[in-house]
Amino acid sequence: MMRFDPFREIEELTQRMDRAFGQSGGTVRLAPPVDVHEDERGLELTLDLPGVSPDAIHIEAENNTLTVQAERKYARQDGRTAHRVERAYGTLARTFSVPAKYDLTKVEADFDHGTLSIRVPRSEAAQKRAVTVRSGGQLTAPRTVDAQGDTTTGTPQQA
């Protein structure tokens, strides 16, 4: 007796569609999983690219768009029959819209053990700064104003 698998029909349909559109052998265009984190320094994007060599990774930054592409090739060997090919092969690609407050001219990337880490720093114009306030023509200590309109001198207030 065979166990019921609700996803078997979907998997079979996907395989038929891949064959019909020339995507045989597990070669497809995939979007690799990504984590996106932000802190005061900028954005960090971390993508999983297992089985990809560093020279097969291409990163482009243009017009507030960051594009990552990588190629994982299937190595076919003569005289060898593949009974099952479940791992994904082909082009892995992701495109990200990056707000103008980040500087795409200073993107840095590291690749280690199948994980690509991309750092996009905040632009100089978007950096947080303390502003010196003049009072009666005299300079005073830098002050910032919070959202409620309270003025602080840069030291934390106690509740």
Side-chain angles (χ1 to χ4, degrees):
M1 185 164 136
M2 195 165 135
R3 266 181 80 168
F4 174 69
D5 181 2
F7 300 105
R8 185 181 70 222
E9 289 183 30
I10 294 171
E11 183 178 332
E12 289 173 2
L13 178 62
T14 302
Q15 290 172 355
R16 284 190 212 139
M17 296 285 287
D18 287 345
R19 282 192 300 271
F21 293 105
Q23 300 288 335
S24 62
T27 303
V28 293
R29 184 175 175 96
L30 298 169
V34 64
D35 292 339
V36 179
H37 294 96
E38 179 182 23
D39 61 17
E40 68 279 349
R41 294 174 302 195
L43 290 175
E44 183 175 33
L45 297 89
T46 308
L47 293 91
D48 287 342
L49 301 173
V52 173
S53 66
D55 58 336
I57 300 170
H58 304 285
I59 302 170
E60 293 181 0
E62 182 180 31
N63 296 330
N64 294 351
T65 302
L66 183 68
T67 302
V68 178
Q69 285 190 337
E71 185 78 23
R72 186 162 85 178
K73 296 184 180 193
Y74 180 68
R76 298 181 192 268
Q77 296 179 1
D78 290 337
R80 185 173 167 186
T81 302
H83 292 281
R84 185 176 288 263
V85 178
E86 293 183 352
R87 297 172 53 208
Y89 297 95
T91 302
L92 300 135
R94 290 297 291 259
T95 300
F96 306 93
S97 293
V98 179
K101 68 181 181 177
Y102 299 102
D103 190 349
L104 286 176
T105 65
K106 296 180 180 176
V107 173
E108 295 179 355
D110 292 310
F111 187 66
D112 188 36
H113 292 81
T115 300
L116 177 66
S117 297
I118 302 171
R119 284 169 304 291
V120 184
R122 286 187 185 266
S123 67
E124 292 294 322
Q127 294 292 331
K128 188 175 183 179
R129 294 179 177 77
V131 177
T132 302
V133 179
R134 294 177 190 251
S135 177
Q138 300 292 327
L139 290 176
T140 61
R143 295 186 295 170
T144 57
V145 179
D146 69 13
Q148 288 81 25
D150 295 333
T151 303
T152 62
T153 60
T155 57
Q157 293 182 351
Q158 296 181 0

